[in-house]
Amino acid sequence: MGARAAAQSIDQGAELLRVDDISLSFGGVKALTDVSFDVLRGEVRAIIGPNGAGKSSMLNVINGFYHPQQGEVWFAGSQRRNPKPHNIAHQGIARTFQNIALFNGMSTLDNIMTGRFTHMKQNMLMQAFWRGPAEREEVQNREKVEEIIDFLEIQAIRKTPVGRLPYGLQKRVELGRALAAEPILLLLDEPMAGMNVEEKEDMSRFILDVKDEFGTTITLIEHDMGVVMDISDRVVVLDYGRKIGDGTPDEVRNDQAVIDAYLGVAHD
Amino acid sequence: MNQDSSLDTFPKHLLHTARVHANRPAMRHKEYGVWQSWTWSQLLDEIRAYSLGLKELGVSPGDKVAMVGSNKPRLYWTFAAVQALGAVPVPVYAESVAEEMEYVLTHADAKYAVCQDQEQVDKLLSMSEASQLIQHIIYDEERGLRDYDHSRLHHFEQVQQLGRDKLSNDTNAEQAWLDAIAQGRGDELCVMLYTSGTTGKPKGVMLSHNNVMSASRNANLFDNLTEKEEVLAYLPLAWVGDHIFSYGQFLTAGYCVCCPESQDTVEVDRREIAPTYFFAPPRVFENLLTNITVRMQDAGRFKRWLYSYFMSVASRCGEDRLNGKSVGLKDSLLYTIGNAMVYGPLRNRMGMTRLKVGYTAGEAIGPEIFSFYRSLGINLKQLYGQTEASVYITAQPDGEIFADTVGKPSPEVELEIDENGEVLYRSPGVFMGYYKNEEATRETKDAAGWVKTGDAGFIDSNGHLKIIDRAKDVGKLNDGNMFPPKYIENKLKFFPNIKEAVAFGNERDYTAVFLNIDLVAVSNWAERNNIAYASYQELAAHPEVYRMMEEHVDQINRDLSNEDRMAGAQIRRFLVLHKELDADDGELTRTLKVRRSFIAERYDALIEALYSDKTEQFITTEVVFEDGRRGELSATVQIRDMKIYGQEVLRESA
């Protein structure tokens, strides 16, 4: 928990995460080559790029699922050395997935509850008896989860198994589960994929509200350029595993290399 | 219950109830998944602090305070907090579009506004005119509003804190507040409610404390309602029905009002609370029944059999039992078994287990739907009312229920039918007048206090009032036959597959109708019959759907041909609209009533086609999306001819 406490003590606007010269390859396939960028506390940082640019790989490096062959990841002022994803979760990084990864048979409430596991300190035996401290802990966790349900306006589906929910709502539940961990850094992998205009607007509003209300730093991958430009503070552009642009939405929008790569002029 | 005449205003009643029922629950609100409650004395405490906070902000006697939002406890407190200062609350339909709302706010001269959340605050700030008029905006939910300019925006809790500070710093503050309440009089303006405006601009109906008080007390007496009732507040605050049920009767009877968690959870919340007193427009009962029917069709064979068998028992003897008639030993026994196996669980599902009395009003309810609920042992009744009457004009007394009438005059209400067939009434609930509209007041209310309802009706042999249609809507076909559009539309809407119908025929050669399919019922039917479709538009135009609609219209024509004065009004041609009629497009009012003239204008091409011999017509319409953007929708709509039944056919079929 040392890293979590350290991360929380840092002021808004200071550096929260830095990746230096990251290179990642799978056999002969180079997914990422010498990528460096930083994420400041309290900002929405987008990673964009065409298909296969290495965006998801980058996210997987950040949350410790992939270990890069070269480069360093600095989180909250200390360097990480090949951690496991669950260590990362304890340090205060939570994420959602491109393909929703919820427990389909479980209710919305239970799914979000699972996001609280980093905050459960009682051992299994105590939880099985569910008396005293374990009970108090569960009540506390439930309160937090209810706050999130209220925040995301999903009260009506609290008891519904998530498998029965439409796609847009499942995405929202997944965001809820990530929020339940009370992360310092929230990683969103295409939070708006497959949504209609109205759902996208809702999701954008939730993302901005998460930033404002909880002060959470957000790093997201998204394909919808309109959305990215609207909600991000800064944008990193990847193409074929290399960083080709970095800056505010306006800077990136007017960058010729980005235009070529993203609009497919040069490659397709 | 104390009916003391010194309790002539609602703030006085609040003080009284908080003393008499100090520790009984007054209000509940589901928040964070748990029902939070306030007792009457806690409620008084909250309202007093809030009211004093409002006073600190400058709210003074006579000021109008607009309220925009859904059924949240703090918005209900606003009524009493504002009235205690001698100011007037003006609840506004939260769903109404910006222009509509701006008209009401400026017309009402609202100087203050209480909003539920960011959405409503944004809407107010976007109005140039109304926004200048409004000096302070108070909001309930803080979320998203943190970075706004707070020079005239205040969080509810800050306002309450202002009041609490005042209470602790100034020892006279509480007494001054109580003195101001004591000075209130029953004939003063209590609340201003804007009518939804089926015709023209909304009008501000001014109701005095006496109006709302007498209506509320009479209603409590009529159904023996006491402090033990629990109701669910889920209908728009700006609607007179909710004002009487969730505020007037709440304070006079001292019962408990429960606010749902959100608009989407009303059904679950109702089930948890199981209200003892319930009010809903027919639409709610229709939807409930549709959901049950749809779910039963997906159930296993045994359950389906059980349901259909016991429902037939219920329809045979359920209503008689409820009306207190004896039904014979066998049916009595079967009903008891059915009650345990089907009716009880169904009532539980609908949250009506503890229901003492339920009302439906606003529009005519389908006789089958009405009978369905009554046969389950639910004491559902109809009432007929208006904003101008503080709701109650007539209501069905227990044991005298007829599906096609709206009951007998409510206590203290006098009823008359004028020479044109229009219903007139006079009662202590009759409104003071329309705000800033003397002319309209004179047109509606005469010097002796008689008010025109605008509805045509008659009193039947049982002494019950029967409403036919809006007086001005009853028209004539070119051949001189009577044309009652609502009557025909309601008959059509009683089919679960038809959501909305609009009939035309006044000063035309024959009756023709637009139909709207009910997406829930028809899509389920389509699924069961392997009918594929990609959109509402495609489903609505499907030949099989048309065939089904043809059967329905044919049935109506048979029915009409059996009624002496209606035979001439049979439907000659109809079409199924390619889009759902929607309040966002201005086609329905906010209370979901059809705006006939607007529709006639918008779909002019379709109407002309109905009165030609075309079999299809192309049309393009503009639609407004929820976020206010506009788009276009075009379609070629099919038109069908119908068979008309003459007197001979009538004899054969009869």
Side-chain angles (χ1 to χ4, degrees), chain A residues 72-119:
Chain A
E72 294 171 355
V73 179
W74 289 75
F75 180 67
S78 55
Q79 193 189 346
R80 293 194 332 214
R81 292 176 207 289
N82 298 345
K84 293 272 188 315
H86 65 265
N87 301 129
I88 301 289
H90 276 288
Q91 283 176 5
I93 298 181
R95 72 169 293 179
T96 65
F97 298 86
Q98 189 173 351
N99 309 311
I100 299 169
L102 291 165
F103 302 102
N104 275 336
M106 275 160 50
S107 70
T108 298
L109 179 69
D110 289 339
N111 265 289
I112 299 179
M113 255 332 227
T114 59
R116 293 297 293 171
F117 91 98
T118 51
H119 295 262

Side-chain angles (χ1 to χ4, degrees), chain B residues 384 404 406 415-424 453-460 464-472 474 482 565:
Chain B
Y384 171 63
D404 57 348
V406 290
L415 211 59
E416 224 174 56
I417 310 288
D418 76 359
E419 63 277 13
N420 301 324
E422 187 169 345
V423 181
L424 309 180
T453 57
D455 286 327
F458 60 89
I459 292 169
D460 73 3
H464 285 236
L465 179 66
K466 187 170 178 176
I467 299 292
I468 309 172
D469 208 333
R470 295 292 294 173
K472 63 172 181 49
V474 178
M482 187 166 118
R565 299 174 60 196

Side-chain angles (χ1 to χ4, degrees), chain B residues 337-519:
Chain B
I337 299 170
N339 198 25
M341 299 184 71
V342 179
Y343 320 141
L346 271 181
R347 284 197 303 265
N348 180 28
R349 182 89 231 159
M350 299 185 288
M352 297 187 184
T353 307
R354 299 196 298 158
L355 198 70
K356 203 156 144 185
V357 54
Y359 276 106
T360 173
E363 296 229 23
I365 188 168
E368 300 82 14
I369 298 168
F370 191 63
S371 302
F372 170 84
Y373 288 97
R374 290 198 54 88
S375 71
L376 289 178
I378 294 165
N379 189 14
L380 182 63
K381 305 199 283 186
Q382 295 189 67
L383 69 77
Y384 171 63
Q386 271 192 331
T387 311
E388 287 83 346
S390 308
V391 179
Y392 298 95
I393 299 175
T394 68
Q396 295 177 326
D398 281 333
E400 290 183 56
I401 313 294
F402 308 98
D404 57 348
T405 75
V406 290
K408 288 180 166 172
S410 295
E412 295 191 74
V413 178
E414 298 167 78
L415 211 59
E416 224 174 56
I417 310 288
D418 76 359
E419 63 277 13
N420 301 324
E422 187 169 345
V423 181
L424 309 180
Y425 64 91
R426 186 163 70 171
S427 78
V430 166
F431 71 128
M432 301 163 76
Y434 295 114
Y435 187 59
K436 296 200 292 197
N437 197 344
E438 274 300 315
E439 198 191 328
T441 309
R442 268 195 306 276
E443 270 169 31
T444 315
K445 184 167 104 167
D446 72 10
W450 287 95
V451 181
K452 291 181 185 170
T453 57
D455 286 327
F458 60 89
I459 292 169
D460 73 3
S461 53
N462 298 312
H464 285 236
L465 179 66
K466 187 170 178 176
I467 299 292
I468 309 172
D469 208 333
R470 295 292 294 173
K472 63 172 181 49
D473 283 347
V474 178
K476 278 200 162 34
L477 297 172
N478 282 345
D479 58 8
N481 271 312
M482 187 166 118
F483 167 68
K486 261 256 189 73
Y487 189 76
I488 296 171
E489 288 161 11
N490 283 334
K491 270 183 171 296
L492 284 164
K493 276 157 59 179
F494 294 154
F495 291 104
N497 293 326
I498 299 180
K499 181 156 192 194
E500 206 57 75
V502 191
F504 302 95
N506 192 27
E507 293 167 17
R508 302 264 192 184
D509 290 338
Y510 49 82
T511 307
V513 294
F514 286 177
L515 298 178
N516 243 186
I517 56 169
D518 186 297
L519 192 58

Side-chain angles (χ1 to χ4, degrees), chain A residues 207-221:
Chain A
I207 291 172
L208 291 175
D209 282 351
V210 165
K211 182 181 116 174
D212 291 344
E213 296 283 308
F214 303 135
T216 311
T217 308
I218 295 161
T219 298
L220 62 90
I221 294 176

